[in-house]
Amino acid sequence: MTDKKQNLLLMFDRPQEPSFMVKKDATDVSHKFDVPQSFLSDRYKPIGAEIVNRFGEDEGNKIPVTEISLPPLGEILDLGRQENFSLFIPKHRKLAGRMIDIFLGMRNVDELQSMALYARDRVNPYMFNYALSVAILHRKDTQDLDLPSFIASFPDKYVDSRVLSRAREEATIVPAGSRQPIEIPRDYTASDLEFEHRLAYFREDLGINLHHWHWHLVYPFEAARTVVDKNRRGELFYYMHQQIIARYNFERLCNKMKRVERWTEWKAPIEEAYFPKLDSLVSSRAWPSRVANQRIQNLNREVDQIKIDVDDMVRWRDRIYAAIHSGFVNGENGQQIQLTENEGIDILGNIVEASILSPNRNFYGDMHNMGHVFISYIHDPDHRHLESFGVMGDSATAMRDPIFYRWHAYVDNLFQDYKATLPRYTVAQLDYPGVTVQDIEIKARGGTANVINTFWQQSDIDLSRGMDFQPRGSVFARFTHLQHQPFTYNITVNNQGQARMGTCRIFMAPKFDERGNPWLFRDQKTLFIELDKFRVNLKQGMNTITRNSNQSTVTIPFERSFRNLDNNRPTGGDALAQFNFCGCGWPAHMLIPKGSPEGFTAQIFVMVSNFEDDRVNQQIDGFCNDAESYCGIKDKLYPDRRSMGYPFDRMPRDGVDTLQQFLTPNMRAQDCTIRFNDRIVKPTART
Amino acid sequence: MTDKKQNLLLMFDRPQEPSFMVKKDATDVSHKFDVPQSFLSDRYKPIGAEIVNRFGEDEGNKIPVTEISLPPLGEILDLGRQENFSLFIPKHRKLAGRMIDIFLGMRNVDELQSMALYARDRVNPYMFNYALSVAILHRKDTQDLDLPSFIASFPDKYVDSRVLSRAREEATIVPAGSRQPIEIPRDYTASDLEFEHRLAYFREDLGINLHHWHWHLVYPFEAARTVVDKNRRGELFYYMHQQIIARYNFERLCNKMKRVERWTEWKAPIEEAYFPKLDSLVSSRAWPSRVANQRIQNLNREVDQIKIDVDDMVRWRDRIYAAIHSGFVNGENGQQIQLTENEGIDILGNIVEASILSPNRNFYGDMHNMGHVFISYIHDPDHRHLESFGVMGDSATAMRDPIFYRWHAYVDNLFQDYKATLPRYTVAQLDYPGVTVQDIEIKARGGTANVINTFWQQSDIDLSRGMDFQPRGSVFARFTHLQHQPFTYNITVNNQGQARMGTCRIFMAPKFDERGNPWLFRDQKTLFIELDKFRVNLKQGMNTITRNSNQSTVTIPFERSFRNLDNNRPTGGDALAQFNFCGCGWPAHMLIPKGSPEGFTAQIFVMVSNFEDDRVNQQIDGFCNDAESYCGIKDKLYPDRRSMGYPFDRMPRDGVDTLQQFLTPNMRAQDCTIRFNDRIVKPTART
């Protein structure tokens, strides 16, 4: 680490420990900022000399800090050090925006370092992390920095509070070399008496929750317009969440549960409870539980500057449906904005979420976001009990709660209702004349054809960077997650024309519905989860396409989700720049649903579409676009011109009732079996 | 500290830190148990040598530990180290009972020390603390030990979790001499939007909660019969809790609130919510919140071995009322046990609570205790969510929740209904012929006659003994509590007979009801709070009785509630023996209700009763019976032969509608004003 801007990353280490304490870099080397006396917070100023004696000379490379004249933090300090922080709360977004502007306005890295150090010990630690991350990602002179994983700074948003307390004991008593990983129990938030708990392995998966946090970091719904206005972001909001619901429903069917019920009755009690059992180390408060049978209520929380009625949600919903059923939305000046066949979904996505790209936010409101906010304040709607928001109020934790899926099933259904108004794909829009998919086989090494094996695996992540005020040295948490044996797709394609290019689209869906009956296509189409999508060069005649499951364009590998194992990292400037973007991506270990011990029957679907119709005219370097299907590519167009979800995003043409009837020659379906084996694979030794 | 049994007390220090780590005694001297390798817990055995190097030689007096053959802990270990522990849960009581038996069975202090050390690192820390405390109190060879205050070991049961996290920062960064007290905010559990929050200063008072914990420690409802069967314990259960409700209602009237409503509709939603904002450091879980409008439900928690229906409560209640209205209870063998005029209340108290002294627990059940249990599991009645009990499930925390008072108002009303069946006191039973109370005046130094001034005061308590895995040295929490200016009672008594003795009984009640109207005596009588009770020698003729408010026989001084300031402690063997008993006692700073800024009108009531009718024939040494009215005296009879609450414990004789009409010449009432001044008195400097 020779580049001095790398020192900025030290500020993510031990977010609550004051800046004058030792900071460790990614390779565990100690550093210490030479913090000017004037930067010390009020608590430490009077004892500055003592503290310098205590923490001053003993350890670490000294980093000089320029004493500059600092702008006042002003209202940024309105959010206390021990508060929780949520981007869903407009007031918090506004304060974070001020902080970001200050960081962006610093003239060089030196000044940014001084400003950040000064702010670090005064500003809310969650907000500081967010603002500095955004600033680093968007400043020309820092955007090649490789931000540490969010879970490293704030493990408390992901890990059972008990694990953190045991880690504290381990760190205090056991020397670094002899420490044992602390196991995160598999069933700690509920038992199987709670029907919904069967899906806890999915809802509470660390990788899934990191993906969700990353996705919303990359696609904020409110920020400077240059940050928000990414190519097809409204459509991707629809599609990424559609896929989450499809995957969730797939997992439910694997667990003999019916598909998730939409949350439609907003004034009725919510039956399912959720007890997150997470403690915020910053706020020193537990994340509030959501008990059974509570109702959302009108919100009037002065502290958050939120005043909104449930009826506001109803009005927004009705207006959005009016737009869907009339084919246009009302712009701010009364003009009609058409929801066109291909771009309408993007507009609608921005309206529903809502992002600042929504063409008329006053009229269509803020439905999806406020749904999160209403639920997250269900226990204290008027702040009389001084309670903060529940897990639904933070994109880092929202996916843990079963209500997340009921809410997003509602949102998704609204999008599906819109899609049902669009023209059906004709055979011509689906077929690739002369291209026939003749055979599909998937196979794991040494495995049976068309059988995917799933099981539990354990992995370790280091908690120590988030364990403020504790002795140093790694302490690992060991968590148990779903995993599947890697496999290969072997796809045989007959190209009766010239050599040409195609896009190979691979999906999978359950073969039978909850009753064990075959699907109507109109139902099954919303259950297809995307597994992969890639360009293929078709030579004339028979082609065999071979593709490994770990090449998927929806997933990122374990190391990229967690980044606490310093291997498999890209190196060098531009590669690093995109690495953060690529913290976004479905975790590879969750690519394949769990299946069932007796073997769950699914259908693999492969389509080779005409690349000329798919192509997006741009140069993309091949690096770090791993999860482009769910996350797009940084600063580029979305790399597929088709509507997201194609060919399953619309109602089928007349006469098509089943998947078989839907298929054109360039598509094929293949039954396969997902077999779950209830064993636990221990982690590979750390290197 | 020369006596080696004193070393037992070291085990209460830092309850989660393993036994091989340094322990501090009450005077802050370091000690270290020379823990045999075979005593180490499984985690530390393999690295025993390393640990000895790390924690072995550096600090503290070495305490030799005898390696004895240890009985297996067996099912005692069924309660995990990180579980919460409650005496209300029969299974927990049973396990604690085993642990106590093992400790009591050790042949000498040496063996007890070995056994306790071995158990300490294996057994649940709350249960260990409880079992060792009981054993020390009841072993002949240890009962003179002076147990540390419960709040010192487990500040997390009393102090906002945020304070503990700030204390952690302070302890890590700031050298011991420069540390500042962490202020516990006055309004952290709710805001004034929540109507009930006006009483938070009472419900969350540390001294009141410590008193309640202590009372139930001294009067357990289940344990060896020799421990439970204390003189008039059932009656004291009634009276102590009656006084809590009277005091609570007095405070409510001071705050312009109506008297607490009894919780009668057990199947209806409970309107008031409570969010304790306490974290258990042992279980690393927050104490569950109780949100608004929840209903208790049938309990079926296998983990706690609790299976009970709300209808069971209904049946018990109906049977208890049948006993009250028929004047006898059904014994286990079908015999009728009369509820006699003076002893009936004691039986009824044991039935209602219920204690093991209840004559027919199968029939009359466990009403009061199970009320606590039902409410404490309101959020997770069948343990599907793996949640522990709320604050109502622990006597150390129950008084924080507003529902505690609604429940105990119900229980108290039941006792009042019973008392209403008893013969009224005749004038002869009330009067003390020839003795006339002629005048009452109370006065603070430099104050106005019959005006009591109240205000806020801040006090500090040391948290460091409960802050496991943190650097050593005191860290203080500063809390704000009600206080009053000390005052003197000047009572003029005319004795027209011979010199004789009397019992001076001092009570106080609000003068007006919620509507501002004078009371009917039948209502006012339940609002009288006892302030003091003491023997007076009356000489012939005029007597002036002078008594200081801080001599009250219901309170204990601040230092005895908290015992972290090592002054005002009794010294010497027998004195110490009773000191623990005397941890029980209403906190002196809460003797007088808050009053109001405009001046709240109360009535002081003084009665001088005939000592010959009050006398209990026993020798009592005058030491450490400070709070005898609420707590009794260890190993002695209750020091007043009258029914507890006399003369207000029964309906008045015919023709008495007002307090004035109730008075016989040996009684007198005097209006007084309680004036609250909203200022905060800073703590006196620590010495």
Side-chain angles (χ1 to χ4, degrees), chain B residues 81-137:
Chain B
R81 294 270 297 168
Q82 291 195 310
E83 302 297 320
N84 210 339
F85 169 75
S86 168
L87 289 168
F88 284 119
I89 300 175
K91 180 183 158 192
H92 292 192
R93 281 204 298 275
K94 197 181 78 179
L95 301 182
R98 302 266 155 112
M99 189 78 257
I100 292 168
D101 286 346
I102 290 176
F103 288 151
L104 291 178
M106 303 315 290
R107 285 175 300 183
N108 52 47
V109 168
D110 244 16
E111 293 196 356
L112 176 62
Q113 175 181 285
S114 295
M115 186 65 224
L117 267 182
Y118 178 80
R120 190 180 180 283
D121 292 354
R122 289 167 172 76
V123 170
N124 177 280
Y126 291 135
M127 186 163 78
F128 175 82
N129 178 296
Y130 174 74
L132 186 60
S133 299
V134 173
I136 286 176
L137 283 173

Side-chain angles (χ1 to χ4, degrees), chain A residues 354-366:
Chain A
S355 79
I356 56 165
L357 306 182
S358 171
N360 193 349
R361 231 176 166 184
N362 281 335
F363 191 72
Y364 293 108
D366 200 9

Side-chain angles (χ1 to χ4, degrees), chain A residues 16-18 20-21 43-44 46-47 50-51 54-55 81-84 160-163 165-166 168-180 187-195 272-279 281-286 288-289 291-292 294 300 379-380 382-387 468-471, chain B residues 16-18 20-21 43-44 46-47 50-51 54-55 81-84 160-163 165-166 168-180 187-195 272-279 281-286 288-289 291-292 294 300 379-380 382-387 468-471:
Chain A
Q16 294 185 85
E17 290 187 1
F20 52 75
M21 292 178 75
R43 172 67 192 100
Y44 297 119
I47 49 174
E50 260 182 293
I51 283 178
R54 204 162 186 211
F55 296 100
R81 293 273 296 168
Q82 291 195 310
E83 302 297 318
N84 210 338
D160 178 8
S161 49
R162 270 190 195 170
V163 169
S165 102
R166 290 183 46 209
R168 197 174 293 157
E169 172 169 351
E170 194 81 9
T172 305
I173 298 179
V174 183
S178 306
R179 290 179 192 164
Q180 290 178 354
D187 297 295
Y188 70 94
T189 54
S191 68
D192 280 342
L193 251 193
E194 170 62 25
F195 192 63
E272 308 89 342
Y274 185 66
F275 294 77
K277 298 180 175 62
L278 295 176
D279 269 5
L281 294 181
V282 167
S283 75
S284 302
R285 289 270 187 266
S289 301
V291 305
Q294 284 190 290
N300 188 1
H379 57 295
D380 193 18
D382 60 8
H383 197 236
R384 65 176 60 198
H385 295 292
L386 307 180
E387 286 280 301
D468 293 271
F469 310 118
Q470 303 302 326
Chain B
Q16 295 186 85
E17 288 187 2
F20 52 76
M21 291 176 77
R43 173 66 193 100
Y44 297 119
I47 50 174
E50 257 180 295
I51 283 177
R54 206 161 184 213
F55 296 99
R81 294 270 297 168
Q82 291 195 310
E83 302 297 320
N84 210 339
D160 178 7
S161 48
R162 269 189 196 169
V163 169
S165 102
R166 288 182 48 209
R168 195 173 293 155
E169 172 169 348
E170 194 80 10
T172 306
I173 298 179
V174 182
S178 305
R179 291 180 191 162
Q180 290 180 355
D187 297 296
Y188 70 96
T189 54
S191 67
D192 280 341
L193 252 192
E194 170 63 26
F195 192 62
E272 307 88 345
Y274 185 66
F275 293 77
K277 298 180 177 63
L278 295 176
D279 269 5
L281 293 180
V282 167
S283 75
S284 301
R285 291 268 186 264
S289 301
V291 304
Q294 284 190 289
N300 188 0
H379 57 294
D380 193 19
D382 59 9
H383 197 234
R384 66 175 58 197
H385 294 292
L386 308 179
E387 286 280 304
D468 293 272
F469 310 118
Q470 302 302 326

Side-chain angles (χ1 to χ4, degrees), chain B residues 5 20 71 75 95 104 113 151 228 233 241 305 345 367 394 470 539 573 626 636 654 657:
Chain B
K5 70 185 167 193
F20 52 76
E75 63 177 355
L95 301 182
L104 291 178
Q113 175 181 285
I151 198 175
V228 177
R233 57 104 51 227
H241 289 89
Q305 293 167 22
I345 185 66
M367 194 180 90
D394 186 335
Q470 302 302 326
K539 62 178 197 290
D626 271 29
K636 306 276 182 183
D654 285 347
D657 285 327

Side-chain angles (χ1 to χ4, degrees), chain A residues 193, chain B residues 88-90 263 267 295-313 316 366-384 387-390 393:
Chain A
L193 251 193
Chain B
F88 284 119
I89 300 175
W263 181 48
K267 297 187 177 181
R295 298 163 203 264
I296 63 168
Q297 293 168 70
N298 297 340
L299 298 181
N300 188 0
R301 295 178 53 104
E302 283 168 34
V303 64
D304 302 319
Q305 293 167 22
I306 290 180
K307 189 160 188 255
I308 181 177
D309 291 353
V310 179
D311 282 342
D312 288 321
M313 292 277 285
W316 297 336
D366 200 9
M367 194 180 90
H368 152 264
N369 292 330
M370 282 302 139
H372 276 265
V373 172
F374 271 110
I375 295 168
S376 74
Y377 284 136
I378 203 165
H379 57 294
D380 193 19
D382 59 9
H383 197 234
R384 66 175 58 197
E387 286 280 304
S388 185
F389 46 84

Side-chain angles (χ1 to χ4, degrees), chain B residues 383-626:
Chain B
H383 197 234
R384 66 175 58 197
H385 294 292
L386 308 179
E387 286 280 304
S388 185
F389 46 84
V391 292
M392 272 290 275
D394 186 335
S395 57
T397 53
M399 286 184 71
R400 302 178 156 259
D401 189 334
I403 193 64
F404 175 90
Y405 304 89
R406 293 197 56 198
W407 178 225
H408 274 278
Y410 182 88
V411 170
D412 185 55
N413 184 259
L414 184 149
F415 289 123
Q416 298 295 344
D417 282 348
Y418 166 69
K419 287 279 189 174
T421 68
L422 299 182
R424 280 72 171 126
Y425 290 122
T426 62
V427 169
Q429 287 173 306
L430 295 170
D431 198 11
Y432 192 179
V435 173
T436 307
V437 178
Q438 292 203 321
D439 191 46
I440 307 168
E441 188 197 70
I442 60 172
K443 202 162 179 308
R445 184 192 298 242
T448 312
N450 298 318
V451 173
I452 305 176
N453 293 303
T454 61
F455 49 88
W456 300 120
Q457 184 169 39
Q458 291 190 323
S459 298
D460 294 347
I461 50 166
D462 187 0
L463 302 174
S464 61
R465 286 168 196 286
M467 286 172 55
D468 293 272
F469 310 118
Q470 302 302 326
R472 283 284 186 175
S474 293
V475 185
F476 286 87
R478 173 162 297 175
F479 66 106
T480 307
H481 56 82
L482 190 61
Q483 186 58 286
H484 56 275
Q485 209 179 343
F487 58 89
T488 303
Y489 307 92
N490 295 301
I491 301 164
T492 310
V493 180
N494 188 359
N495 174 15
Q496 292 168 294
Q498 300 286 53
R500 44 189 167 166
M501 285 193 294
T503 303
C504 184
R505 301 167 187 271
I506 308 181
F507 290 83
M508 182 163 63
K511 185 169 185 183
F512 303 107
D513 71 8
E514 293 90 342
R515 299 174 184 83
N517 296 332
W519 294 103
L520 285 179
F521 180 78
R522 55 185 302 142
D523 296 319
Q524 190 183 21
K525 75 179 174 55
T526 60
L527 283 161
F528 273 99
I529 61 173
E530 185 173 339
L531 295 185
D532 210 344
K533 179 165 64 181
F534 51 93
R535 197 167 63 186
V536 288
N537 292 308
L538 298 171
K539 62 178 197 290
Q540 214 172 6
M542 294 301 276
N543 294 264
T544 299
I545 301 168
T546 301
R547 176 87 169 177
N548 289 326
S549 58
N550 59 18
Q551 293 177 282
S552 165
T553 51
V554 304
T555 62
I556 54 175
F558 181 84
E559 296 75 15
R560 199 165 291 170
S561 288
F562 297 97
R563 280 181 290 177
N564 60 336
L565 302 179
D566 284 65
N567 45 11
N568 288 21
R569 259 170 200 265
T571 49
D574 197 45
L576 275 172
Q578 290 173 327
F579 188 74
N580 291 303
F581 204 75
C582 297
C584 182
W586 197 252
H589 62 264
M590 295 302 288
L591 175 69
I592 301 297
K594 186 179 171 194
S596 63
E598 64 276 19
F600 184 86
T601 307
Q603 287 181 294
I604 298 267
F605 168 91
V606 173
M607 173 187 199
V608 177
S609 60
N610 187 344
F611 185 69
E612 292 312 311
D613 299 330
D614 307 332
R615 179 205 293 274
V616 172
N617 287 319
Q618 64 182 347
Q619 273 300 101
I620 39 170
D621 46 30
F623 194 79
C624 206
N625 50 0
D626 271 29

